[in-house]
Amino acid sequence: MAWWFARSYSYAGPGFDWLDESAVEEKCGLVGSGLSLSRPLSEKNVPKSARYREKYPKPPSPDVFFVDSSVACTARFKDLVEQFEPGLHLFVPIELQYKDGRVMDGEYFFFNCNVDVDCVLTDNKDEWFYTNRRGEISPMLGLIQKLTPLEISLSKPQIYGRHLWTGGPLGWNQLFVSDAFCEAFRKGRLREVEIRRECHEVDREWVADEHMGPLLDKWHDYVASGRDCPMGYV
């Protein structure tokens, strides 16, 4: 089985803002709704320091937290990921500062899961897609702030042997992990991540025509561009 890891919205802080965002070598939107963007990133995309917002008086205690909606983590989380998939995902050392500019003790990293595979099985069912008031269609997993009632099934051939991955445009910046990684995460008592739900692994190939629904044409354009999309989804 696999697991969907989500942001813990019951946890309000700590709050950080990036410093010197204009100095990054390659400007790329880092804001996402989940625990990773649905596209690989490089170190060139990431600012190197962030500063505490004044209303939060204490340094971070969780192992996963956020900087302007980007995902940051401690060395404990980095070490766990590296045990399973060494050198595969992006961890960029970042400096965290108090409001007055003093540097916080400890090691902290920007995190991005750099493995993105089309794997979410929808069978083109209407409930997997929603239309907003502007008439734009998006995958239902974009509604991360709501507990989706849908059962999530993933293509086992697509995710075989993987431990952390995002699910292509249908995954909408959400992080999926293997059963082994989830068990190690629980044993390590890392915080603040919500293990949102179990996902079924189904022995079926992922075929775009069968699962992209009304987003099929956009998916073809997305693939033709080399999966080069600023937001990581269509």
Side-chain angles (χ1 to χ4, degrees):
M1 71 185 73
W3 297 86
W4 172 19
F5 274 24
R7 294 190 178 201
S8 176
Y9 280 88
S10 63
Y11 178 68
F16 289 91
D17 294 309
W18 288 119
L19 300 176
D20 300 322
E21 286 186 81
S22 61
V24 297
E25 295 182 60
E26 296 180 8
K27 293 180 174 59
C28 181
L30 299 179
V31 176
S33 60
L35 287 176
S36 179
L37 298 180
S38 294
R39 67 184 188 277
L41 293 176
S42 76
E43 188 168 348
K44 295 179 179 180
N45 302 128
V46 183
K48 299 303 186 288
S49 58
R51 184 168 293 172
Y52 230 11
R53 295 173 184 155
E54 189 170 7
K55 63 180 180 178
Y56 296 113
K58 296 180 180 180
S61 58
D63 293 288
V64 179
F65 55 100
F66 307 101
V67 178
D68 278 354
S69 291
S70 302
V71 180
C73 67
T74 63
R76 282 216 316 153
F77 181 78
K78 176 180 181 292
D79 290 346
L80 180 61
V81 172
E82 294 283 287
Q83 286 178 29
F84 283 84
E85 294 179 326
L88 188 57
H89 303 289
L90 183 67
F91 290 96
V92 181
I94 56 174
E95 178 185 272
L96 298 184
Q97 301 178 5
Y98 292 101
K99 184 68 175 179
D100 61 7
R102 290 180 297 121
V103 177
M104 294 182 180
D105 294 332
E107 290 185 281
Y108 303 101
F109 303 86
F110 172 94
F111 166 70
N112 192 66
C113 173
N114 270 5
V115 173
D116 182 54
V117 290
D118 293 307
C119 61
V120 180
L121 303 175
T122 72
D123 292 316
N124 291 337
K125 293 179 180 178
D126 291 342
E127 59 262 36
W128 271 99
F129 306 90
Y130 73 95
T131 304
N132 64 23
R133 285 179 286 184
R134 297 188 298 274
E136 299 166 336
I137 300 174
S138 299
M140 189 59 72
L141 282 177
L143 297 176
I144 185 64
Q145 69 273 23
K146 298 181 180 179
L147 285 172
T148 171
L150 300 174
E151 293 291 330
I152 299 175
S153 296
L154 306 177
S155 167
K156 188 172 184 177
Q158 290 289 88
I159 63 175
Y160 180 77
R162 304 185 190 278
H163 290 288
L164 291 90
W165 67 92
T166 52
L170 291 173
W172 196 277
N173 294 334
Q174 307 307 325
L175 180 66
F176 298 98
V177 304
S178 67
D179 192 46
F181 182 87
C182 185
E183 182 179 0
F185 185 92
R186 282 177 165 144
K187 286 183 177 178
R189 298 185 178 181
L190 278 75
R191 308 170 51 233
E192 291 274 346
V193 171
E194 181 179 334
I195 303 174
R196 181 61 61 89
R197 71 168 45 188
E198 178 184 347
C199 304
H200 303 289
E201 295 185 24
V202 181
D203 194 13
R204 288 175 57 189
E205 296 290 343
W206 190 91
V207 180
D209 295 53
E210 298 174 4
H211 303 294
M212 286 306 303
L215 296 175
L216 180 61
D217 288 342
K218 287 188 175 181
W219 180 87
H220 281 299
D221 293 339
Y222 176 60
V223 172
S225 71
R227 304 177 78 90
D228 182 14
C229 175
M231 298 303 293
Y233 44 78
V234 295

